[in-house]
Amino acid sequence: MISRVLASIKKKKKEGFTMSSPGVQLHIQKHHVVMDNGIVQVTLSKPDGIVTGIRYNGVDNLLEVLNKETNRGYWDLVWSAPGVKGGFDVIKGTCFEVIVQNEDQLELSFKRMWDHSLEGKYVPLNIDKRFILLRGSSGFYSYGIYEHLHGWPDFDLTETRITFKLRKDKFQYMAMADNRQRIMPFPEDRMPGRCQPLAYQEAVLLVNPKDPRLKGEVDDKYQYSCKNIDNKVHGWISFSPSVGFWQITPSDEFRSGGPFKQNLTSHVGPTTLAIFLSGHYAGQDLVPKWRGGEPWKKVFGPVYIYLNSGSTGDDPLVLWEDAKIKMATEVQSWPYLFPASEDFLKPDQRGNINGRLLVLDRTINSGPEQT
């Protein structure tokens, strides 16, 4: 049954590609821009670079239409000056630019440049948020370029990520692994009268949830954390219509902490996260700190927002199986060829290292141990 439905999804994708519009189109409006490839339409505020709408499979907007436009799809960070309490910042661009525009690809840039007049107000970084839509792609890519110039103020960067807030009236089933997927509580279930606060603010006991089957359960976004090495695809399924929204991370190279560092994935909202830097589960040891005017530049991503759909009567859970297949394809395609920024190194600009790593662990034995 699953193989038959997956074959049907693949056929729909192939037909969608061959019968799609001639190419990728860009519509520039007064306060928004729209990327459109005939499969998905992505609307972003201009020049902010906030994702305000995602149109797909007949649904006008997969993002939460009840939220303000600034609270739907956005890059954010938490930063602080040394010894000062951290501040949360939804990154809004001040300059919009079309980087690539042809029938096969669009790449858009939303920059926020820093100067000393902004000291104390914004993190001392030049930030360039990029969004890419490819011809025939059932989704879009995003990556960011962060730059701290020599002599700029010291600061700590506690967290940075991409956040998507989906429609709660449609996305109620979450999946992050074969054995970690379920019907999720509504955001209202975490409000007073429907829950009982527990030891810390993220954890609540559901005492009067909208879905009575969830009564007595604990909801806590940290329940859905996992190691980076396993954090390649996660997201949400809408049963009516049958639509999947998936966040795919094809590589760990731009995430802090290495493959065994735990990070958040998706949680009640419905919310989906792409975490790049985070002190979760580690604390200050994994918070980057810039001192003495140290220069620095880093590319985060690209990550892929993948959308899929099923036919009426199909098992919607097959969308998870299809998302895993797409994730494997993205992993095999890394590093990507299409990002236009010269700061993203292409395959022919990268090297390889081979050999053996010998570790001397004095708690086990006195000789080297091969790993």
Side-chain angles (χ1 to χ4, degrees), residues 253 335 345-354:
E253 72 175 42
L345 298 182
K346 308 306 186 292
D348 61 357
Q349 298 174 296
R350 300 179 178 221
N352 294 298
I353 185 169
N354 296 292

Side-chain angles (χ1 to χ4, degrees), residues 221-351:
K221 67 181 182 181
Y222 296 114
Q223 291 174 313
Y224 309 110
S225 298
C226 74
K227 299 174 183 176
N228 283 338
I229 195 172
D230 300 319
N231 189 2
K232 294 289 190 292
V233 58
H234 60 88
W236 295 79
I237 295 173
S238 163
F239 290 163
S240 181
S242 180
V243 170
F245 184 103
W246 309 103
Q247 194 276 300
I248 294 177
T249 304
S251 172
D252 289 325
E253 72 175 42
F254 45 79
R255 294 198 285 205
S256 65
F260 298 106
K261 164 72 165 61
Q262 287 200 86
N263 271 316
L264 299 174
T265 59
S266 291
H267 59 79
V268 166
T271 299
T272 290
L273 303 172
I275 302 285
F276 303 120
L277 290 177
S278 170
H280 283 128
Y281 302 103
Q284 287 295 315
D285 287 343
L286 278 186
V287 174
K289 302 172 178 65
W290 286 263
R291 300 293 185 266
E294 176 188 0
W296 172 80
K297 183 182 280 190
K298 175 75 174 179
V299 177
F300 295 108
V303 296
Y304 185 44
I305 302 305
Y306 176 58
L307 311 171
N308 58 5
S309 61
S311 301
T312 303
D314 289 346
D315 181 357
L317 300 186
V318 79
L319 299 180
W320 164 248
E321 299 297 328
D322 175 67
K324 290 192 298 180
I325 293 172
K326 183 60 177 175
M327 175 270 290
T329 301
E330 296 297 312
V331 171
Q332 288 293 320
S333 301
W334 187 267
Y336 296 135
L337 289 168
F338 53 81
S341 172
E342 64 181 16
D343 294 308
F344 181 81
L345 298 182
K346 308 306 186 292
D348 61 357
Q349 298 174 296
R350 300 179 178 221

Side-chain angles (χ1 to χ4, degrees), residues 27 34-43 53-56 133:
H27 308 284
V34 181
M35 303 190 298
D36 185 358
N37 67 358
I39 301 172
V40 58
Q41 292 180 343
V42 183
T43 301
I54 301 174
R55 182 185 179 96
Y56 173 74
L133 184 64

Side-chain angles (χ1 to χ4, degrees), residues 190 195-206 218-225 262 264 267 280-281:
R190 296 181 52 87
C195 71
Q196 174 185 326
L198 297 177
Y200 48 95
Q201 64 179 1
E202 290 84 2
V204 297
L205 177 67
L206 305 178
V218 171
D219 180 67
D220 176 359
K221 67 181 182 181
Y222 296 114
Q223 291 174 313
Y224 309 110
S225 298
Q262 287 200 86
L264 299 174
H267 59 79
H280 283 128
Y281 302 103

Side-chain angles (χ1 to χ4, degrees), residues 29-280:
Q29 305 166 356
K30 185 176 182 180
H31 298 296
H32 298 83
V33 294
V34 181
M35 303 190 298
D36 185 358
N37 67 358
I39 301 172
V40 58
Q41 292 180 343
V42 183
T43 301
L44 300 109
S45 59
K46 175 172 71 75
D48 297 350
I50 304 294
V51 184
T52 64
I54 301 174
R55 182 185 179 96
Y56 173 74
N57 196 44
V59 181
D60 286 342
N61 198 346
L62 301 181
L63 303 181
E64 183 51 83
V65 294
L66 299 178
N67 288 3
K68 294 181 179 180
E69 286 195 343
T70 54
N71 189 29
R72 296 180 185 176
Y74 53 87
W75 284 71
D76 65 49
L77 58 82
V78 178
W79 75 284
S80 65
V84 178
K85 184 179 180 180
F88 177 76
D89 179 14
V90 172
I91 305 166
K92 296 180 180 179
T94 57
C95 177
F96 163 70
E97 183 181 359
V98 179
I99 303 298
V100 177
Q101 183 177 8
N102 56 55
E103 289 193 343
D104 294 320
Q105 177 175 341
L106 275 174
E107 181 165 336
L108 307 181
S109 165
F110 302 85
K111 290 182 181 178
R112 187 177 77 184
M113 309 300 286
W114 192 89
D115 61 50
H116 285 279
S117 68
L118 301 173
E119 188 166 352
K121 299 178 182 178
Y122 293 104
V123 62
L125 290 172
N126 291 332
I127 298 177
D128 185 356
K129 302 182 299 179
R130 300 287 183 98
F131 294 87
I132 299 173
L133 184 64
L134 302 179
R135 184 172 188 170
S137 176
S138 184
F140 62 97
Y141 298 84
S142 187
Y143 68 107
I145 306 157
Y146 290 22
E147 182 180 31
H148 183 257
L149 297 184
H150 177 74
W152 279 7
D154 298 343
F155 75 103
D156 300 348
L157 187 59
T158 304
E159 183 174 281
T160 191
R161 64 188 187 179
I162 308 176
T163 301
F164 289 97
K165 306 286 186 65
L166 309 184
R167 289 180 60 161
K168 64 183 179 182
D169 64 330
K170 296 188 179 298
F171 292 96
Q172 294 155 17
Y173 191 92
M174 190 193 78
M176 54 170 292
D178 288 337
N179 60 347
R180 299 178 74 183
Q181 49 184 270
R182 56 165 295 178
I183 294 287
M184 293 289 285
F186 287 87
E188 292 86 351
D189 293 336
R190 296 181 52 87
M191 301 297 290
R194 292 192 176 274
C195 71
Q196 174 185 326
L198 297 177
Y200 48 95
Q201 64 179 1
E202 290 84 2
V204 297
L205 177 67
L206 305 178
V207 296
N208 185 29
K210 297 178 69 174
D211 185 340
R213 294 174 297 177
L214 304 181
K215 183 176 181 179
E217 294 191 6
V218 171
D219 180 67
D220 176 359
K221 67 181 182 181
Y222 296 114
Q223 291 174 313
Y224 309 110
S225 298
C226 74
K227 299 174 183 176
N228 283 338
I229 195 172
D230 300 319
N231 189 2
K232 294 289 190 292
V233 58
H234 60 88
W236 295 79
I237 295 173
S238 163
F239 290 163
S240 181
S242 180
V243 170
F245 184 103
W246 309 103
Q247 194 276 300
I248 294 177
T249 304
S251 172
D252 289 325
E253 72 175 42
F254 45 79
R255 294 198 285 205
S256 65
F260 298 106
K261 164 72 165 61
Q262 287 200 86
N263 271 316
L264 299 174
T265 59
S266 291
H267 59 79
V268 166
T271 299
T272 290
L273 303 172
I275 302 285
F276 303 120
L277 290 177
S278 170
H280 283 128

